[in-house]
Amino acid sequence: IGVRLVGSEMCIRDSPRAVHRSRSVELLRAAPPAPELAGLYGDDVCYSEVQLAKDENVAAALARGLPPVSKRLEMVSRGKLPKPGEGPSEEMRAGSWFHFRFVATAEDGTTVATSVRGGDPGYTETAKMVAESALCFALPERRARLPSAGAGARGGALTPASAFGGLLIGVLHSHGIEFAAEEGVPAADAMLTMPPGAPPVEPKSKL
């Protein structure tokens, strides 16, 4: 019997805040507030993240999270972690990947699953995301298509979703970060099923 255990995902503290902030910005941009904008996220949004692990030991290591700064500095001095400027090798980055699965369930029980996957998330793909986000502001042809560029656009501190909308998705997709809808995912098992072709994530070092 295959068992998939769930550990904490590293962005668990920030991602839910970003999702709810995105919804708040959509509501704020309506003047006066337009109820139909709430349809993008729903009236009662719940969001959470988990990370699949292959066994209990890996799940426990993931759930512990990062050690304090003092411990990490000690690990650097002992050669257990790379020094500033070293980072992973090109070969290690080439063998790294990420795969997120998003499962949305409506009040009527309808379930929709989508996925985002790409290469090394810590360096390669993060660099793409940062650079392409900046180009969305810098290039006039992109800037004109931003949801935050319209007359009277409001929002204050924006999330990627509220600042760039679908434009950034299309740009990143064209540069090798795949966004796709998944079909045939059973609602009851969707969150505990390993995405196709994706091996479980294991900690890179013992903390």
Side-chain angles (χ1 to χ4, degrees):
I1 298 176
V3 177
R4 300 297 186 187
L5 298 174
V6 179
S8 298
E9 201 276 326
M10 65 178 65
C11 298
I12 194 72
R13 294 171 300 176
D14 301 320
S15 295
R17 298 173 184 173
V19 170
H20 286 284
R21 176 59 182 163
S22 297
R23 177 177 181 271
S24 298
V25 170
E26 293 298 335
L27 294 174
L28 180 64
R29 283 176 176 166
E36 62 270 16
L37 286 178
L40 295 175
Y41 290 89
D43 295 326
D44 187 14
V45 180
C46 296
Y47 180 88
S48 63
E49 291 185 5
V50 295
Q51 182 172 345
L52 297 181
K54 73 173 185 177
D55 57 41
E56 186 175 353
N57 290 333
V58 174
L62 292 170
R64 281 197 299 269
L66 294 175
V69 174
S70 58
K71 179 65 174 179
R72 279 178 275 168
L73 291 175
E74 178 187 341
M75 294 174 72
V76 170
S77 65
R78 291 191 287 116
K80 298 294 185 180
L81 288 176
K83 296 179 181 179
E86 290 183 347
S89 65
E90 184 175 352
E91 180 181 6
M92 181 179 293
R93 294 198 307 272
S96 300
W97 55 270
F98 73 93
H99 189 147
F100 283 103
R101 167 177 283 166
F102 300 91
V103 179
T105 303
E107 291 182 353
D108 63 1
T110 302
T111 299
V112 177
T114 62
S115 66
V116 183
R117 69 173 75 194
D120 169 48
Y123 293 84
T124 308
E125 305 298 41
T126 296
K128 289 181 187 177
M129 296 174 190
V130 172
E132 295 300 335
S133 295
L135 288 174
C136 284
F137 287 128
L139 299 178
E141 63 273 20
R142 289 192 191 180
R143 189 167 62 245
R145 297 166 54 195
L146 294 177
S148 55
R154 305 165 63 193
L158 302 180
T159 64
S162 57
F164 307 115
L167 175 62
L168 184 59
I169 291 177
V171 171
L172 294 177
H173 191 83
S174 67
H175 286 82
I177 299 179
E178 178 184 325
F179 294 78
E182 296 188 358
E183 298 181 357
V185 179
D189 301 327
M191 291 303 293
L192 297 178
T193 302
M194 191 66 67
V201 177
E202 297 192 38
K204 291 184 174 59
S205 62
K206 295 183 179 180
L207 303 179

